[in-house]
Amino acid sequence: MSSIDKNSIQTKLQHPYLALMGVLIGGFVGMLSETSLNIALPSIMKAFSIETGTAQWLVTGYMLVIAIVLPLSSLLTKHFSTRGLVRFGLWIFIVGSVISALAMDFAMLLAGRMIQGIGTGIILPLMFSIAMRIFPPNKLGAALGVAALVIMFAPAIGPTLAGLLLGVLSWRAIFWSFIVFLIVAWLFMEKNLTNVFKVSKPKVDWLAICLSTISFGLIVFGISFLSKNMPVAIVALVIGLIFLAIYIRQQLHADTPTLDFSVLKTSRFLTGSILVMIDFGITLSAMYLLPMYLQNGLGIAVALTGVIMLPGGIVNAVTSFLAGRAYDKIGAKIMSRLGFLISVIGSIMFILSNSNSSIAYIIIAHIILMIGVPMAMSPSQTYGLNSLDQYQSADGSAIINTFQQVIGAVATGIATILLSTGQASYMANGGHSEALAFTQGAHYGFTFTMILAILGFLIAFKVKDHGGDQIKH
């Protein structure tokens, strides 16, 4: 049984969506922040005279902190009030945004980003756990669908919003815009949200906290450091994986686990979780590469880059909404396989693009990818969570959210390595065009995105259901 649910207060609210709105907006900003900065990386690199590998830490460092904080979600709900947690999560993100917006050097900017990660790590799991307490069973599916829509739509629309801001202002405006959304979220929270978790203040498992922090930290660090110092990166990865194994074993034998990893013994949940993580890796790697490819490879202005990515973002939102409804009728088997297959096609189109490709071609490729990704995401996640009972589902959701961030950071790190490798290969073979070098690097990166999509398509054949289920209560 999930420790979250055992310590929860059954709460009936007249307007549950208003109560959840503050957390939804906060989660939207957190996920928006994962990709909105990608389009500004070239500008930031010029402003602080840094390389791609260094700038990439603004993405992986952010997700690293989220991955460290997320496993603590259950513990935090037992030690602090719901309103207090949400309030802290929103305001710590605001503090990080202010620091980043005023950054005088890269170190200050990175520090602000990592502080933002604390806020997202707190808010993200609360979207799901609060929804599970304030919505009745017959309306819970729709509420979780809205939360899933936030997670999928925000990263897709992030580059567009950032591009529009960069067209008239500087990259600092992106961070100031976060603050506007977060203040609105805070006002909704203060007016509508009630405390839904019982504060029991159990004994803190400091060993579990240390193990999770070390394991996730070293894994993401190792991936991000591969392009700079291979031996150090491999050592970090190996040690991180060892600590992760120790952490999982420790949690399986704990009386009150921070995360109940026993849910991974349920084959349907394990399959659904793997598919969700692969799908998230496709999203983060593509959304990391595409804005920079448009600017540095195809020479498109930053404002136009955002406009080019807008149709795909809209299609992503519509598909996410429709995919949730389609699951109830036809199940996850067809949806997941078709979604990954379409993602393969979109990835191949990007690999085949070149300096002569039209804007229309790029938009179509992006739209195809943005149809495939959400088509696989929502059914896969619902398929996995529906295999768990009411109490396990909170732990299942926390595990998926935690490893999503790790996979996202890893996918971004690998995409960065391949991007740099492709550029270096072009120059080593006598190339002199920086645009063509970046194009080749982007092709290397999109090949990784394609491999993920193919892997997801193959694993999707383990999905055996023929119709949608209802979450068990």
Side-chain angles (χ1 to χ4, degrees):
M1 179 179 290
S2 164
S3 51
I4 290 179
D5 284 88
K6 287 190 292 184
N7 292 277
S8 299
I9 304 169
Q10 293 290 342
T11 305
K12 293 184 179 180
L13 299 176
Q14 186 175 1
H15 302 291
Y17 275 108
L18 288 178
L20 193 63
M21 187 60 66
V23 188
L24 287 174
I25 295 174
F28 176 82
V29 174
M31 297 303 295
L32 183 75
S33 183
E34 289 202 351
T35 58
S36 60
L37 210 62
N38 291 345
I39 199 169
L41 288 182
S43 300
I44 293 173
M45 289 162 61
K46 291 178 182 178
F48 295 118
S49 300
I50 56 175
E51 299 177 350
T52 303
T54 303
Q56 176 243 341
W57 269 100
L58 294 174
V59 180
T60 54
Y62 175 72
M63 288 188 284
L64 168 61
V65 175
I66 296 174
I68 291 173
V69 176
L70 269 169
L72 307 180
S73 173
S74 173
L75 180 66
L76 292 174
T77 58
K78 300 191 197 81
H79 281 265
F80 303 98
S81 69
T82 310
R83 286 167 55 85
L85 265 181
V86 176
R87 185 183 296 115
F88 178 79
L90 294 174
W91 279 101
I92 196 67
F93 200 113
I94 289 175
V95 170
S97 298
V98 171
I99 292 173
S100 296
L102 298 175
M104 302 304 295
D105 53 34
F106 179 75
M108 184 175 176
L109 176 59
L110 180 59
R113 282 289 284 169
M114 298 183 83
I115 291 173
Q116 286 180 321
I118 297 173
T120 301
I122 292 173
I123 296 294
L124 204 57
L126 288 177
M127 278 199 309
F128 294 92
S129 55
I130 291 175
M132 295 176 74
R133 302 313 306 168
I134 65 177
F135 284 90
N138 64 321
K139 295 183 179 180
L140 182 58
L144 293 180
V146 172
L149 174 61
V150 166
I151 288 181
M152 288 305 300
F153 179 57
I157 201 69
T160 297
L161 296 179
L164 296 175
L165 284 174
L166 286 169
V168 294
L169 300 168
S170 75
W171 58 266
R172 299 179 188 272
I174 297 175
F175 294 102
W176 292 121
S177 69
F178 294 156
I179 297 172
V180 176
F181 283 105
L182 292 167
I183 290 177
V184 173
W186 171 68
L187 292 174
F188 268 107
M189 185 279 298
E190 293 290 355
K191 182 173 177 60
N192 301 291
L193 184 63
T194 59
N195 293 319
V196 299
F197 300 111
K198 181 181 178 181
V199 179
S200 57
K201 295 187 180 295
K203 182 180 178 181
V204 177
D205 188 347
W206 292 106
L207 176 59
I209 293 175
C210 291
L211 288 174
S212 66
T213 300
I214 293 172
S215 60
F216 293 134
L218 285 177
I219 289 171
V220 176
F221 172 82
I223 289 292
S224 302
F225 217 65
L226 277 172
S227 61
K228 297 181 180 180
N229 191 318
M230 182 75 73
V232 172
I234 292 176
V235 170
L237 275 172
V238 171
I239 296 176
L241 290 171
I242 291 173
F243 270 91
L244 179 60
I246 295 172
Y247 171 56
I248 293 175
R249 179 178 176 79
Q250 188 258 359
Q251 290 293 284
L252 288 173
H253 292 85
D255 294 330
T256 55
T258 304
L259 280 179
D260 185 5
F261 284 99
S262 65
V263 297
L264 294 174
K265 296 177 182 178
T266 303
S267 61
R268 277 185 53 174
F269 174 74
L270 181 60
T271 299
S273 300
I274 292 173
L275 291 177
V276 167
M277 292 170 200
I278 291 174
D279 207 48
F280 198 66
I282 294 170
T283 302
L284 268 292
S285 61
M287 291 304 98
Y288 173 72
L289 291 166
L290 184 54
M292 292 192 294
Y293 172 50
L294 290 172
Q295 294 176 69
N296 296 338
L298 302 183
I300 295 173
V302 63
L304 184 56
T305 297
V307 174
I308 289 173
M309 298 185 71
L310 179 58
I314 294 174
V315 168
N316 179 288
V318 173
T319 307
S320 296
F321 177 75
L322 296 177
R325 292 195 168 193
Y327 173 84
D328 293 329
K329 296 181 179 180
I330 62 177
K333 183 173 72 171
I334 296 175
M335 297 290 291
S336 59
R337 295 175 189 176
L338 186 58
F340 282 112
L341 181 59
I342 293 173
S343 296
V344 171
I345 295 172
S347 302
I348 292 174
M349 288 185 69
F350 279 124
I351 294 171
L352 296 177
S353 66
N354 54 53
S355 57
N356 296 320
S357 297
S358 66
I359 291 179
Y361 177 89
I362 298 297
I363 292 175
I364 292 172
H366 186 216
I367 287 175
I368 290 174
L369 189 63
M370 289 297 98
I371 291 174
V373 167
M375 184 177 288
M377 174 64 80
S378 181
S380 297
Q381 183 163 359
T382 307
Y383 174 80
L385 289 176
N386 277 357
S387 66
L388 308 177
D389 63 32
Q390 175 189 9
Y391 305 106
Q392 293 175 316
S393 62
D395 285 303
S397 178
I399 288 172
I400 289 176
N401 282 321
T402 298
F403 282 94
Q404 260 188 336
Q405 300 307 312
V406 175
I407 294 300
V410 169
T412 305
I414 293 175
T416 300
I417 293 170
L418 293 174
L419 178 65
S420 300
T421 302
Q423 289 176 285
S425 174
Y426 174 84
M427 292 299 185
N429 289 325
H432 300 288
S433 170
E434 292 186 6
L436 291 178
F438 202 95
T439 297
Q440 179 167 305
H443 287 166
Y444 278 36
F446 284 121
T447 300
F448 170 65
T449 303
M450 181 191 68
I451 292 172
L452 286 178
I454 293 173
L455 182 62
F457 175 70
L458 295 175
I459 295 176
F461 279 87
K462 292 180 66 66
V463 177
K464 301 298 183 183
D465 69 318
H466 294 278
D469 305 319
Q470 294 299 319
I471 294 176
K472 300 174 184 178
H473 286 273

